[in-house]
Structures are given as structure tokens and as C-alpha cells.
Amino acid sequence: MLKTSISAKRSARLVLAGMLILLPVTVWLTTELWRETRLVEITEDGRNKLELYQSNLQGAIKEHEYLPITLASDKRILDLAQRASPADAAAVNIYLEKLADDSGASDIYFMDRNGTTIAASNWNSDASFVGRNFAFRPYFKQAEAGLTGHYFAFGITSNVPGYYISHPVRPNGADFEGAMVVKTHLETLVQRWARGNENVLVTDENGIVIITSRPEWRFRDLAGIPPSIRPELMASRKYGNYPLDPMPVHQGAWPDDDTLGILSLASSETAPSEGLISDAPANKNAQHTEKTKSNPKPYLVTRSTLPRQGWKIYLLTDKAVLDQSILTAGFIGGAMHIIVMGTIFVLLQRRRAMLEQIEIRDWSQRELERQVRLRTADLMSTNLRLAEEISERRRTEDALRTAQAELVQAGKLAALGQMSAGIAHEINQPLTAIRSYADNALKFISRGNNETASRNLGRISELTERMGRITNHLKTFARRPKHDTHPVDITEPLQKVIDLLRETGRAGLAELDYQAVENLPLVTAEENQLEQVFLNILSNAADACRDEECPTVGIAIAEKGNRILVKISDNGPGILPENLPQLFDPFFTTKPFGDGLGLGLSICYGIMRSFGGTIRAENRPAGGACFTIELRCAQRTGGKTPTSISTAPDTPDTTGTETTAIASGETDLTAHHMIAP
């Protein structure tokens, strides 16, 4: 046997032995590395989810946090605190009742300096707070100390859990004359968490579970109440008639910090009456009688803290997910070990066969090489040319790959830049409108025109909500969002935009010529984005004609078949013919540097496309430009209103000087038709 084949055979045997010996080591290393990696991922994922739950909980609490602070300075409350006449109390009762209905708060009431309730929103119910003294409640003592009180407990009268927020009432700015209290339900939040697929719970300062996605865990003792405190805590009825049973921890402990903890809980099936707290008396819901117990279930626990309330929030992840992942990783690691070592073994076997063939053919190969060297000069020249062509082709391929990589990178940077500019541009306009509404509200308040000021403040709230929706688009950068189109009355968003332009002065000196049309059919659109389109086109029209002697912007609405046409025209200089084809291109603008990004009309293009509508631009024969917005009517098919529409664009009409586009996205006030040099 040849020497080379003997050496290759020995190497193959060593590889086979090593594969069998090192297989358990490979599986162990794989599972340990994967365990550490997954624990880090689960911890980070748990923290992110806890931030969302914490934000959700704080939002539910802050929904009514402003009410006691605002009411504490209300003239009706201040007068009641000073005089406490029956007539004033009756008027405040009706006022608080309406305010509770409008705001969605559970109860709103005013207590005098002694803690006796003088007026309440539930004055006309069987569980009225009027005349009841709650001076012993911590939230009253906090208000008496000059603080905004926060407290979670069962109601003494209603026997329904809730979150209490209080604020001191000082008519003269110094002396404590009472407290305004708002009670808000957290049951909607509890029900929403219960419908989720995750195990989350919130404990208060006493370590009692007050909010959880698992009904059987609610009002259980997680921290372990000392026996000396339990009778006093039960007597306070802070948790109604619940017995405050301990959490069924079978093994492990709850984490004391933000690190990942591991514990096992004994799950149980409870009676049908258990679960979420309703408006029924608590003693009917507090009977936690376990019927059957199943095997303890292990969990990975992540903890976070709500410092303001002193609460803690826990997220429990099923440990079976980690164990299954580790088993899968071990199996894959072992399989990869066998595949790699087996491949090496096969390659060594093939190498041995190749070496035998190489040695046998060695002489023939040397003879062949000698004959090749004796070939003619012409053949050598041909080979040299072929080698040069091959080298040139390789260089060309390398250059092509480099160019393709640079093109991909440039495309990524362009997409990122366009998205960032669009988001910054769209947020800037609501901020400008908010500032204008706030300035006008201050002037109206100073003039005593509270009604108009309240309307301005309401619009500020709407714009703030709209900014929240805008920033939420950042979460969907990796995929195209689905717009919720529905039947919309086109006159409502149009009138809102006209009011905005007039009251903020955005329309300048331009006269808005608009005659409302009644009994128009509804159109298929999304109201907020439709407002963006109207605001963009109208603002640009006002900018286009601001240098005219009598700047005028006309708005006309007409019905054509199953379409609604909105024509917005101006008496400005119009659009240059060479600019019409690129009017709706991103970043195209003729305004001075710094006055705009050129995104407005491109964004309108996408918005209208998502509605299944069109937008066209053309020059008027009498001068100026005209934009035509065409929307689909919301028709009924087979007795049912369609819930979605096809967003495929209509065939654009590009004859003459008219440009047709179907449009999308965000508001820009810079890219209309200020095109004349």
C-alpha cells in the first residue's frame, strides 16, 4: 500500500474516534451557551414588556389625574368650601355628576376640612358619599398635608376597588378648607390584561396583588404580611373582604431587584364566581376555594418598580419555553457535530483515494507537462491573451459587485433620510398649530371668552393626540401600515382645516371662498389623513397667491357619478409647465432654501392612493392653479357597507398640461406651486 494512503487512513480513524468522544462535550457546551444567551434575551424582552405595561398602567392613572387639581381651583368649589350652603352644594352635586359622566371617572366628590363629604357626583344614588366622613383615608391626610394624594383601596360605601386621587382646596391660597377627590376604576385595565396571553401582576406597597392578568392571583399576599399587621390591614377593608391568601409559591422566591428570578407556582382551578372584581359586593367575589391542584409550574420572573406609587410590577414567563429551546439547541448542536465530523471523515476517505490516483499518474502527469512546454509559440501567445481576458473579466466583476454594494447602501441611506425628514416635518406643523391655539386661548381667557378658549384647548388636545399617532408610525418603519379607511363626511375635515387656517393666521391675507354643500354622500377615507391633504393643499394655495393684490383661494365641491370632487384654486402665478411632471416627486420644491423640504405633495400623493382616490394639478385659463381631489363614495353592496377598498390607482390622465397622481402620507406646506421664479 502507498505511504500517502496509509497516512490518510490513520487520520480518518482518529477523526471517527474524536467524533464519538467529543459528542457529549459539544452537546453540553451548546446547551450552556444557548441557556446564557436565551436568559439574556428573556431578561431584556421582559424589561421591554414591563416598560409597556408600566406605561399602560400610568396612562390609566393619569387619565383623571388632572381633574382634582383643576376642580380645586374652580370657583364653584371654592365658594362651597367657604360657605357650604345647601343651594351651592346642590348645584355642585349636579355639576360633579355631569363631569363624572363626561370624563368617565367613577366618583368625584368634595370633602370639607373635617373630612365630611359636602358634594358628590353620586349624590342621587343609594351609595351616595354625601354626609360620609372619610378623614381616616390616607388620601385625605395627604391632601391635608398639602400634597396630591394617591391611594388604591376598596370603597367603604360602594365596596368596589378603585384608585383615589386627591388635591387640597385653598380658597385664599394658604388655609386648607377641604379636598377634591376623584376615584377612577382600573377594572378596564384588569380586563384588558386578562384577555392577553402573558402573566403579569402588580403589587402595592403592602405586597398585595391588586392588578393581574390571572384572576385567581388577585388580592393575594406576595410579600408575606407579618401576623401583627394582618388584623389591622383586614379591619381597614382596604382590600374589601378578600382573605389575602399567600401566593402559591412552591419553590424559589420573588426577585428583590431587577434581575431575572426563577420560581414555581402551584396553579389551581377556582369556582366560577372567582376572577375579576365587578360592581357586586366584594364578599361575593372573595371566596377563593381551590377545587383541584395541578403540578407546580416554573416561571422566569422579571420585576420593575413604579416609584411614584411604591408599586412593583412582575412579568412571569413560562420556563418551559426556555427548557424546550435548550433541548432543541442541544439536539441541533449534536447533529451539527455529527455532520461536521462525518463530513471530515468522508473527505479524508476521498483524499486517500485521490492520493493513490495521483501517485499512480505522477509519471504520466510529468510527461504531459513536458509535452505542453514544447507547444508552439503561437499557442503560448493565445494562452497569454486568454489569461489577460480572464483577469480583466474578474476585475470587471469585482467592480460590479462593489458598485452594487454602494448602490444598496445609498438606497438604505436615502430611505432613512426620507423617513426622518417626513416625520420631523409632519410633527412640526401640529406643534405650530398648538402654539397658535395656546396663544389665542390666553387672549380669549384674558378677555373672558372662556367658550372660545375651551374650544381652542380642545383642539390642542386633538392635535396632541394626532402627534401621538404620528410618532407611532416610527414603530412601523419595517413594514407598510394598513390604513383604517371608513365612510367619512367630507365637509367635517374640510371645515376643521378651514377653521385652523383662519384662526392660526396660516392663510395670511387670502380670502377663502367656500360654500358648504349639504346632503353629500360619505366618502371612503381616513379622517385625520384627509385633513392632512386639505391642510397641505389649502396652505400652499394661500402661499401661492399671497403676493397678489386680492389673494383669493376658492373651494368647490361637486358630485360626479360615484365620486366626490373637491377643487381648490387660487389666483396666484400658477405652475410652470416644465414643473408639472415632477410636481408630486419627493423633495421637489421651488421655495427658498429652509422654507420647506418638498415632501408635502408627495405625501398627499400616497394618502390619496391609500384611499383609492386621485389628485390632479393644472393651470387655470384665468390664471392661477387648481388642484382637484377625487374620492370614492362609500357605497353599499348587498346590504353591507364595505370595510375595505382596493388601493389600486386609477389610470392617470396626463394629457395637456394636467398632472394626475394618486397620493399618501404626511403634511408638508412647502411643495405646492410656488414655482414661478
Side-chain angles (χ1 to χ4, degrees):
M1 186 177 289
L2 299 175
K3 293 181 179 180
T4 54
S5 63
I6 295 174
S7 176
K9 186 175 182 179
R10 186 182 298 114
S11 299
R13 290 175 178 175
L14 290 175
V15 169
L16 183 60
M19 178 180 68
L20 298 176
I21 294 173
L22 296 177
L23 179 60
V25 178
T26 301
V27 172
W28 180 80
L29 287 175
T30 302
T31 54
E32 289 302 312
L33 290 175
W34 185 250
R35 181 194 302 273
E36 295 299 325
T37 301
R38 285 293 295 151
L39 285 175
V40 171
E41 292 177 355
I42 291 174
T43 302
E44 187 65 25
D45 183 62
R47 289 172 180 170
N48 293 335
K49 290 180 178 179
L50 283 179
E51 288 182 4
L52 293 176
Y53 279 110
Q54 183 173 340
S55 175
N56 189 271
L57 177 57
Q58 293 287 18
I61 293 174
K62 290 182 178 179
E63 182 179 2
H64 299 110
E65 192 173 24
Y66 72 95
L67 273 177
I69 300 174
T70 304
L71 290 173
S73 59
D74 190 283
K75 185 177 184 303
R76 286 165 284 199
I77 302 300
L78 297 177
D79 293 342
L80 183 62
Q82 291 176 320
R83 292 192 295 270
S85 67
D88 290 343
V92 172
N93 281 335
I94 297 174
Y95 170 65
L96 294 181
E97 181 181 20
K98 184 178 184 303
L99 185 60
D101 291 338
D102 294 341
S103 64
S106 176
D107 299 298
I108 306 175
Y109 52 101
F110 167 71
M111 298 187 295
D112 63 11
R113 70 179 71 179
N114 299 318
T116 300
T117 303
I118 304 300
S121 61
N122 62 357
W123 64 276
N124 200 24
S125 68
D126 295 336
S128 173
F129 293 169
V130 176
R132 300 294 299 273
N133 188 288
F134 302 117
F136 62 92
R137 284 292 200 178
Y139 60 79
F140 179 79
K141 299 182 182 299
Q142 292 171 348
E144 191 176 22
L147 304 174
T148 299
H150 295 268
Y151 185 63
F152 177 88
F154 270 75
I156 298 298
T157 304
S158 63
N159 216 2
V160 175
Y163 190 81
Y164 297 84
I165 306 171
S166 63
H167 193 77
V169 176
R170 296 189 176 93
N172 59 0
D175 297 332
F176 175 76
E177 295 294 341
M180 278 305 308
V181 184
V182 173
K183 178 183 178 183
T184 179
H185 277 315
L186 297 180
E187 298 310 309
T188 301
L189 180 66
V190 174
Q191 294 171 6
R192 186 162 58 247
W193 287 9
R195 288 194 294 268
N197 296 323
E198 295 179 338
N199 300 311
V200 61
L201 57 89
V202 179
T203 62
D204 64 0
E205 66 279 1
N206 296 318
I208 303 300
V209 179
I210 58 176
I211 303 174
T212 177
S213 60
R214 297 282 295 273
E216 65 271 19
W217 291 350
R218 198 172 188 197
F219 298 110
R220 290 217 178 205
D221 180 13
L222 185 144
I225 301 175
S228 59
I229 301 177
R230 178 179 288 271
E232 180 182 354
L233 195 61
M234 295 293 293
S236 69
R237 295 191 70 248
K238 174 180 173 65
Y239 308 104
N241 294 329
Y242 275 83
L244 305 183
D245 294 332
M247 285 289 288
V249 179
H250 181 266
Q251 188 176 7
W254 299 94
D256 295 329
D257 50 23
D258 293 340
T259 59
L260 189 69
I262 301 177
L263 57 80
S264 298
L265 293 178
S267 60
S268 62
E269 296 180 0
T270 57
S273 61
E274 295 178 350
L276 301 177
I277 300 301
S278 65
D279 291 337
N283 57 4
K284 294 182 180 180
N285 297 310
Q287 305 301 322
H288 292 264
T289 304
E290 295 182 357
K291 288 184 176 180
T292 59
K293 288 188 177 180
S294 59
N295 293 330
K297 190 173 184 179
Y299 292 97
L300 303 174
V301 186
T302 310
R303 195 196 78 167
S304 182
T305 303
L306 284 77
R308 182 173 184 178
Q309 290 81 15
W311 296 353
K312 296 179 178 62
I313 181 170
Y314 298 86
L315 178 68
L316 284 71
T317 305
D318 192 349
K319 189 173 178 291
V321 177
L322 174 64
D323 297 337
Q324 183 63 35
S325 176
I326 292 174
L327 289 176
T328 303
F331 176 79
I332 294 175
M336 291 299 297
H337 176 87
I338 294 174
I339 291 173
V340 171
M341 300 302 290
T343 302
I344 295 175
F345 178 79
V346 172
L347 291 176
L348 288 176
Q349 290 295 94
R350 292 185 61 184
R351 179 174 177 270
R352 185 183 70 173
M354 289 175 58
L355 290 175
E356 290 177 353
Q357 292 179 1
I358 289 173
E359 288 185 356
I360 292 174
R361 297 175 183 176
D362 183 61
W363 182 86
S364 299
Q365 183 69 28
R366 289 195 298 270
E367 180 66 19
L368 180 60
E369 291 176 355
R370 186 184 67 81
Q371 292 179 3
V372 170
R373 288 193 296 269
L374 298 178
R375 299 186 65 172
T376 62
D378 184 54
L379 183 58
M380 291 295 295
S381 176
T382 302
N383 289 337
L384 289 175
R385 287 197 302 272
L386 290 174
E388 291 177 357
E389 290 178 0
I390 292 172
S391 299
E392 182 64 24
R393 181 176 179 180
R394 289 176 178 173
R395 287 193 296 271
T396 302
E397 291 177 349
D398 291 340
L400 178 59
R401 282 192 294 269
T402 302
Q404 289 175 339
E406 292 176 353
L407 183 59
V408 170
Q409 184 64 20
K412 291 179 180 179
L413 294 176
L416 182 59
Q418 185 173 2
M419 182 196 71
S420 302
I423 293 297
H425 189 275
E426 186 168 349
I427 290 180
N428 183 58
Q429 180 168 308
L431 286 175
T432 303
I434 287 174
R435 180 174 180 180
S436 299
Y437 276 129
D439 292 341
N440 291 340
L442 289 175
K443 293 179 181 179
F444 286 131
I445 291 173
S446 64
R447 297 173 184 173
N449 191 347
N450 292 334
E451 181 179 356
T452 305
S454 298
R455 187 168 63 252
N456 281 7
L457 293 176
R459 288 173 177 166
I460 289 176
S461 176
E462 292 176 0
L463 290 171
T464 305
E465 182 180 357
R466 173 181 166 193
M467 290 173 62
R469 290 193 298 270
I470 291 171
T471 55
N472 283 336
H473 293 334
L474 289 172
K475 301 177 183 178
T476 57
F477 176 65
R479 59 186 176 86
R480 184 179 182 87
K482 296 181 179 179
H483 300 296
D484 183 18
T485 57
H486 56 275
V488 174
D489 184 357
I490 195 172
T491 59
E492 292 183 3
L494 182 58
Q495 187 62 50
K496 288 183 181 179
V497 171
I498 292 174
D499 292 343
L500 174 63
L501 292 175
R502 285 174 173 169
E503 294 186 18
T504 60
R506 183 66 185 88
L509 300 177
E511 178 183 353
L512 294 176
D513 182 14
Y514 167 58
Q515 295 294 330
V517 180
E518 298 181 353
N519 300 324
L520 282 173
L522 302 181
V523 298
T524 301
E526 200 280 323
E527 185 171 358
N528 291 308
Q529 294 193 348
L530 188 57
E531 288 180 18
Q532 293 178 216
V533 174
F534 288 148
L535 184 60
N536 183 61
I537 302 302
L538 285 172
S539 299
N540 288 345
D543 290 342
C545 63
R546 61 186 172 188
D547 294 330
E548 301 297 325
E549 182 177 355
C550 297
T552 303
V553 175
I555 305 172
I557 304 178
E559 182 178 357
K560 182 180 179 181
N562 64 339
R563 301 277 178 150
I564 298 297
L565 305 181
V566 181
K567 293 189 176 182
I568 300 175
S569 59
D570 61 70
N571 61 344
I575 307 172
L576 296 180
E578 59 268 27
N579 290 329
L580 278 171
Q582 52 185 339
L583 193 61
F584 295 95
D585 291 345
F587 299 102
F588 173 76
T589 179
T590 59
K591 290 187 176 182
F593 179 79
D595 285 354
L597 299 174
L599 289 172
L601 293 180
S602 174
I603 289 167
C604 291
Y605 183 95
I607 291 178
M608 295 304 299
R609 177 170 185 163
S610 68
F611 296 163
T614 63
I615 181 170
R616 300 188 293 273
E618 59 185 346
N619 286 314
R620 301 168 59 200
C626 177
F627 278 73
T628 302
I629 299 170
E630 184 174 331
L631 292 162
R632 294 182 178 182
C633 294
Q635 299 177 347
R636 294 182 176 270
T637 303
K640 296 183 180 180
T641 302
T643 58
S644 63
I645 62 170
S646 171
T647 58
D650 294 343
T651 303
D653 181 9
T654 57
T655 60
T657 60
E658 180 179 352
T659 298
T660 303
I662 306 175
S664 126
E666 73 192 25
T667 305
D668 183 0
L669 303 180
T670 64
H672 185 33
H673 54 276
M674 292 296 292
I675 296 174

